[in-house]
Each structure stands twice: as C-alpha cells, then as structure tokens.
C-alpha cells in the first residue's frame, strides 16, 4: 500500500481523494505533513499532494506511481520511493509549514541530490489554482481533455516500425486496456506471447501445409501480444525488473525457436529438406546486426562533439514524412520481419522463408552499417572512458585474449584504426582456412584459432576510443558464430548443425544479456562469468579442438555438451541478476526497431 498525504481538506466537490484511492493510495489529510509522514511505514511509497490540486487522474498516475524513479513530481503533487524518504524528511524539516507545498519539496529534494522525475503531461492538466475563478478555469480545462484517450495514445511508442504503427498498434492498445481492466500484468502477457510463439514453432515443426499456415497465424498473434505487453506496461505504469528481463530476452527466444521449428518442419516434410545451415545463418546474421546497433549506440551516446554531415543528412530525411517510413522499413525491424516470416511460412517453404530472410536482413545490415561507418568517419566525436569500457565488455574477451593483450598487445602502438584492423585480421586468420581451403576439423585449424586469439587480444589492448572501434564486437561475434557454422557444415556429422544452432543460441543469449545490463547502467556480467565460459576466443579454441579430436557423432556430442554447459552457467547467473532487487527496470522507450 502507498500513502498520499493531503496538505488540508480538499474544497467541496473535489474528487481528489477518490482519484488518489483509485491509484492505490491510502489517503490521509494532515496539516502537519511531517508528523503524518513519520507515521507512514518506512517501506512504503509516500506522496504529498496539495489539497487544492485540480487535474487529470492520469497526470497524477504519471507523476506518482511510476516505479522506475526514486521520486516524481508535477504541479501540486510529489512522491518518493522508500529510498528517498530520508531526503523528504529533511526537506520538510527545512520548510515552514505554511510553505510546505509539493513544488517547494521537489526543489529541496533535487538540491539534496535526489533525481525527481517530472513527466511530460502534454495536454493533461495539473494545477493548483488560487481562488474560485482560477479553479473554475482549471476544472473547465480538465473537462475539455479526455485523459483516457491521452492514456491510450501514450501507451504506444512514439517511434516504431511501419507495420507495428499502422497494422498492430491501432487495436493492440485496446487489448492492453482490456488486460489492465482485468488485472492482467505485462509479465503475464509477455509469457503468453512466448507460449504462442512456441506453439507456432511446434506447428511449423510438423512439416505439413496446415501446420505452416497455423504457424504463420500464431506468429502474428504472438507479435500482437508482444506489442500489447509494452503498451500495457505504459498504460498502467506496471514496470518491473522481472518484466525488463522477460521483455529483453523473449523476443529473441521466440524468433530463434521459430527458426528451429521451420528447420525441423523442412526435414520432416515431403521433401526432407535440410535447412539447418540456413536457420543458423539467419540467427547469426540477426545477432551480428543487433551487436552492430548496440555497439554503435554505446560508443556514441555520451560522446562530445558528436556531429557529422551524414548525421545531419539523416536528420533532414527524417523530417520528410514518406522517407521516415521507407527508412524504417528498409532496416526490416521486428514487425516487418515477423510479418514477412509469417506470410512466407504460410504460403511457401521453409527454404524460401530463409532465403528471403537472409537476403532482406543482409541488405538491412549493409544499409545500417554503411551509414554508421560514414557517420563515424566524418564526425569528430571524443568518446568517453565509459564508452570504451562498454565496447570492451561487448568484445567479451576471455583469459587467452587478455593474456595476449597484456603481453604482445602492449608492444603494438595504438592508432586510430588499429583495433578494427587487428579484429578483422583475427577474423580472417580464423575463417579463411576452414571456409576457403576446407581445413576445418584439422590441427591446422586449431593453430589458426590460436592466431585468432592472439590477434583478438592485440585488438583490445588499447582503450576502444577510435572512430571505428565499435566494429570490434560485431567482428568477434561474426568470427565466433561463423566458425561454429563452418565446422558443423564441413563435419557432415549427423545432428551437428542442430547442435551448433543450440550452441550459438546459448552464446547469443549471453551477449544479449550483456547488452541489456550495460543499457541498464549496471555494467556487464561479472568477469568471473566471462572467464568461466572462456570468452569468445576460448570458445573458438574449444570448438576447433573438438572438431580436430572427434569426427562424426563425437563432434555433435561435443557441441551439445558445450551448449548445455554454457546455457546452464549463463542462464543461472542471468536469472539471479534479473530477479534481484538491484536489477534495473530496462524498458525500451526509444522506439528503435529491434
């Protein structure tokens, strides 16, 4: 229970007490706010509201109930979480009773170092009118705006893909309201979306035309639920750390499970088509593309002098209506991507689905990466130590690369483009042999993996502050995932490709988990975890050694055991972190398509 303290009895006819109770507050009227505050248990959220407040219920909801912030305020209302209660007590002690208005308290909280969230109310009203005439005017302004309509509009991301904006959100927002009125939580809707996608994957795995049609329809419905859970969270302000973890990881789990279902369905269908390599290739391409997005954003979001002609051109294009939607569709965000997969699954074959998906995603990856390279080459950004650390964490270096960085890497002079050069050289030394000369599964490939580990260490020996250093993590991801795919294909072992799919999925989960922790401001997973699973170069060495030692089913077993071990270690640590009280409530409000 939360408690709202009114600074006095509300005027006759005021619905303020009823509005606060509808938001879950126990309402107390007290002229002595400090005394009333002392009577509220220290573990509760508390709000101080001016008894003259006039405004919309949703304005109070936005200011007083958002769980993501230690304190929140709007005109005439202030709230603090338990962690900021001591600051509120000090603010009250330093304020005369006659002046103890929420606005004064909010200013004192900020002076005391408490971050006070002030939501953008837009057309919503929040006012403290002084006098009958001003109060009547404020009431009239409140009546003139339908706050429920505003609440529904604000439940939808301000920036999203074309398909989501025009084909899903117009009705999914009403589904979100339906869920809210029945007490459903965003986590429950997220779980329902996952289960629907898993059922869709199971339908695709049947290999029948009816199964493929059902799979496509269910995948689209899963995406509707995926949009609904975020809209429900924004509609009812039900943000949570567990919800952050579920929302951050389930999208990838659903998509990759559907890839696996398509691959199983192809092998069980009339043609007995083996498309596991295509499924794994699609997963690798999608993951590497996301790493490019994450690494570029982390490298530049807090950089100074962060402008370029390319960025200016992009901004001008975003000011023209039709170019905005074309540019958003070109990058094939999750809405367009899932719609494409669903329609092609229902109408064509799994092989066709993967061919179209690979071509579309490859084009999108080239488009976005080329634009970011141009921006990086033309801007004069000065990157911070935090950005360099984020890129180093995304690089995911293990003990072998660290040893190389601390020895040979220190002797190599660091220049503007040395990090991406050494990373590219490392990837080439690893992949050219197995993929071009076909020496995968030999000890020569193991030697090439050792060279890869050394060069990878040299790449990260210096702080990653160069113009193109954000390319280092995606290059490492492409090298690691690519060698797993290449060795599985060359081995020809029964079940090697499905096992490789599982291994890449487990490692990719670790990399996504790292990204979302960094975005939440808590830093990367503990270094002991990275060392325990070997780092990217350690896993590359393990896979190449396994390919050299074992052939046939032995290699499949080795990949399966490695995948299971990594999944167990990574998932246990991830679950421990995300359900802990210290985990951040990370919700994507940027609208950047996934």
């Amino acid at each position: 229970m939360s408690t709202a303290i009114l600074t006095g009895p509300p005027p006759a006819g005021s619905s303020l007490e009823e509005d606060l109770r509808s938001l879950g507050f126990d309402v107390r009227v007290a002229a002595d706010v400090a005394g009333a505050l002392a009577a509220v248990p220290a573990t509760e959220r508390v709000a101080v509201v001016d008894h003259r407040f006039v405004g919309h219920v949703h304005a109070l909801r936005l200011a007083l109930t958002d769980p993501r912030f230690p304190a929140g305020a709007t005109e005439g209302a202030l709230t603090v979480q338990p962690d900021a209660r001591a600051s509120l007590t000090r603010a009250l002690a330093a304020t005369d009773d006659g002046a103890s208005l929420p606005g004064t308290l909010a200013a004192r909280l900020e002076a005391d170092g408490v971050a006070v969230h002030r939501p953008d109310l837009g057309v919503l009203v929040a006012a403290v009118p002084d006098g009958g005439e001003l109060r009547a005017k404020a009431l009239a302004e409140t009546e003139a705006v339908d706050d429920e309509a505003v609440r529904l509009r604000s439940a939808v991301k301000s920036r999203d893909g074309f398909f989501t904006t025009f084909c899903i959100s117009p009705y999914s927002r009403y589904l979100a309201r339906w869920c809210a009125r029945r007490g459903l939580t965003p986590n429950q809707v997220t779980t329902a979306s996952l289960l629907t996608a898993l059922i869709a994957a199971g339908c695709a795995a049947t290999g029948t035309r009816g199964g493929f049609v059902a799979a496509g329809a269910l995948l689209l419905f899963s995406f509707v639920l995926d949009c609904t859970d975020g809209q429900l969270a924004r509609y009812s302000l039900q943000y949570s750390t567990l919800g952050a973890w579920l929302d951050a990881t389930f999208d990838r789990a659903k998509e990759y499970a559907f890839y696996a279902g398509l691959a199983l369905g192809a092998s069980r269908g009339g043609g007995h088509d083996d498309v596991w390599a295509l499924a794994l290739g699609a997963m690798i391409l999608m993951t590497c593309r996301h790493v490019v997005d994450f690494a570029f954003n982390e490298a530049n979001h807090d950089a100074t002098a962060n402008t370029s002609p390319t960025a200016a051109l992009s901004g001008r294009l975003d000011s023209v209506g039709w170019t905005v939607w074309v540019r958003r569709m070109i990058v094939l965000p999750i809405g367009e991507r899932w719609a494409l997969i669903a329609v092609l699954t229902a109408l064509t074959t799994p092989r066709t689905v993967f061919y179209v998906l690979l071509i579309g995603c490859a084009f999108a990856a080239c488009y976005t990466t080329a634009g970011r390279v141009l921006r990086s080459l033309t801007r004069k950004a000065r990157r911070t130590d935090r950005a360099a650390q984020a890129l180093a964490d995304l690089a995911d270096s293990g003990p072998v690369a660290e040893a190389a960085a601390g020895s040979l890497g220190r002797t190599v002079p660091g220049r503007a483009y040395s990090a991406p050069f050494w990373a590219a050289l490392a990837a080439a030394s690893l992949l050219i042999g197995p993929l071009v000369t076909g020496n995968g599964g030999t000890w020569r490939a193991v030697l090439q993996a050792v060279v890869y580990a050394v060069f990878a260490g040299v790449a990260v020996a210096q702080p990653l502050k160069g113009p193109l250093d954000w390319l280092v993590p995606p290059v490492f991801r492409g090298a690691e995932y690519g060698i797993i795919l290449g060795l599985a294909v060359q081995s020809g072992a029964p079940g090697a490709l499905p096992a490789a799919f599982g291994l890449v999925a487990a490692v990719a989960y670790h990399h996504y988990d790292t990204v979302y922790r960094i975005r939440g401001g808590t830093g990367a997973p503990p270094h002991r975890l990275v060392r325990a699973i070997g780092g990217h170069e350690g896993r590359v060495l393990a896979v190449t050694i396994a390919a050299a030692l074992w052939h046939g089913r032995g290699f499949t077993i080795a990949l399966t055991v490695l995948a299971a071990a990594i999944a167990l270690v990574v998932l246990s640590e991830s679950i421990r972190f995300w359900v802990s009280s210290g985990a951040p409530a990370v919700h994507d409000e940027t609208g950047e398509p996934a």
Side-chain angles (χ1 to χ4, degrees):
M1 174 66 73
S2 301
T3 299
I5 302 172
L6 296 184
T7 59
S14 172
S15 63
L16 181 57
E17 291 186 70
E18 180 182 348
D19 293 343
L20 289 169
R21 290 192 182 98
S22 72
L23 298 178
F25 285 97
D26 176 26
V27 180
R28 303 180 186 180
V29 178
D32 179 12
V33 177
L37 176 64
V40 177
T43 57
E44 288 187 9
R45 172 195 285 271
V46 65
V48 178
V49 183
D50 194 299
H51 65 285
R52 299 167 297 172
F53 178 89
V54 174
H56 290 100
V57 178
H58 193 49
L60 289 172
R61 180 182 291 107
L62 291 172
L64 303 182
T65 67
D66 197 322
R68 297 173 296 174
F69 306 102
T74 190
E75 182 70 24
L78 166 76
T79 186
V80 295
Q81 298 267 37
D83 291 345
R85 285 280 298 274
S87 292
L88 179 59
T89 301
R90 289 193 294 270
L92 280 168
T95 306
D96 294 336
D97 288 343
S100 59
L101 299 175
T104 303
L105 296 175
R108 291 188 178 278
L109 284 174
E110 290 176 318
D112 199 31
V114 176
V116 179
H117 173 61
R118 300 177 187 273
D120 181 9
L121 300 183
V123 297
L124 296 175
V125 176
V128 182
D130 189 8
E133 184 176 343
L134 291 177
R135 181 174 181 83
K137 180 181 178 182
L139 287 170
E141 292 174 348
T142 303
E143 289 293 329
V145 176
D146 184 353
D147 73 334
E148 178 61 21
V150 173
R151 188 181 178 191
L152 274 174
R153 287 198 303 269
S154 62
V156 179
K157 283 183 180 180
S158 60
R159 185 180 188 276
D160 220 325
F162 180 89
F163 179 76
T164 304
T165 299
F166 294 103
C167 300
I168 303 296
S169 293
Y171 58 87
S172 62
R173 69 184 74 182
Y174 296 101
L175 179 58
R177 182 172 66 181
W178 183 88
C179 292
R181 290 177 175 177
R182 282 152 184 81
L184 297 177
T185 67
N187 294 348
Q188 291 171 331
V189 178
T190 302
T191 303
S193 176
L194 174 66
L195 293 175
T196 303
L198 293 179
I199 294 172
C203 291
T206 62
T208 63
R209 177 50 52 195
F212 288 145
V213 171
L218 287 170
L219 186 64
L220 282 177
F221 182 60
S222 174
F223 182 65
V224 172
L225 294 176
D226 183 58
C227 295
T228 301
D229 64 358
Q231 291 166 358
L232 175 58
R234 286 182 286 273
Y235 180 83
S236 56
L237 299 186
Q238 296 185 73
Y239 300 106
S240 67
T241 54
L242 179 61
W245 175 59
L246 297 178
D247 187 62
T249 57
F250 276 14
D251 281 350
R252 303 288 82 78
K254 290 180 285 189
E255 190 167 359
Y256 298 160
F258 196 81
Y259 292 174
L262 285 174
L264 285 170
S267 64
R268 299 179 63 180
H272 298 287
D273 193 10
D274 187 352
V275 297
W276 276 105
L278 296 176
L280 181 50
M283 182 166 66
I284 291 172
L285 180 57
M286 190 56 55
T287 305
C288 291
R289 177 187 161 193
H290 283 148
V291 174
V292 168
D293 296 341
F294 296 141
F296 178 81
N297 291 334
E298 287 300 324
N300 291 287
H301 89 281
D302 58 355
T304 58
N306 201 15
T307 59
S308 72
T310 308
L313 174 62
S314 177
R316 287 195 296 271
L317 289 175
D318 277 342
S319 66
V320 182
W322 68 270
T323 64
V324 174
W325 296 115
V326 170
R327 281 155 54 82
R328 292 186 190 179
M329 293 174 69
I330 284 176
V331 300
L332 207 63
I334 187 169
E336 278 76 359
R337 193 166 66 249
W338 282 28
L340 179 69
I341 294 171
V343 171
L344 291 177
T345 297
L347 301 179
T348 65
T349 65
R351 181 171 290 273
T352 301
V353 173
F354 286 122
Y355 278 153
V356 174
L357 185 63
L358 284 167
I359 293 171
C361 288
F363 177 80
C366 291
Y367 170 78
T368 55
T369 304
R372 286 166 178 169
V373 168
L374 287 175
R375 291 188 188 191
S376 300
L377 292 175
T378 56
R379 69 182 14 146
K380 304 297 181 182
R382 292 187 294 275
R383 295 187 170 90
T384 63
D385 292 336
R386 179 205 172 279
Q389 183 59 53
L391 292 180
D393 292 334
L394 290 173
D396 196 35
S397 300
V400 179
E402 289 177 342
S407 53
L408 179 61
R410 297 302 181 188
T411 67
V412 177
R415 295 185 173 87
Y417 301 100
S418 61
F421 167 78
W422 285 104
L425 188 61
S429 65
L430 175 68
L431 297 175
I432 287 178
L435 299 185
V436 177
T437 67
N439 66 4
T442 67
W443 290 104
R444 183 180 299 174
V446 175
L447 178 60
Q448 292 163 351
V450 173
V451 174
Y452 166 80
V454 173
F455 286 170
V458 175
V460 298
Q462 305 296 329
L464 298 177
K465 295 185 177 182
L468 295 179
D469 285 2
W470 55 270
L471 285 170
V472 171
V475 168
F476 288 164
R477 296 297 81 75
E480 179 183 359
Y481 301 158
I483 194 64
I484 295 172
L485 171 59
L487 292 177
V489 169
Q490 288 188 6
S491 73
L497 279 168
F501 187 96
L503 175 57
V504 172
V507 176
Y509 176 86
H510 163 63
H511 291 142
Y512 279 111
D513 188 51
T514 301
V515 165
Y516 287 112
R517 294 200 201 195
I518 293 173
R519 286 171 109 184
T522 59
H527 195 57
R528 65 178 183 277
L529 173 68
V530 178
R531 296 180 71 88
I533 59 176
H536 68 96
E537 83 289 351
R539 293 186 294 271
V540 165
L541 283 168
V543 172
T544 53
I545 290 172
L549 285 175
W550 299 293
H551 303 282
R553 292 193 179 277
F555 183 55
T556 300
I557 293 172
L559 291 178
T560 304
V561 170
L562 186 59
I566 291 175
L568 178 63
V569 173
V570 168
L571 278 173
S572 59
E573 162 58 25
S574 178
I575 293 172
R576 181 208 63 78
F577 171 78
W578 285 104
V579 301
S580 70
S581 58
V586 182
H587 290 266
D588 179 18
E589 304 299 332
T590 65
E592 289 294 337

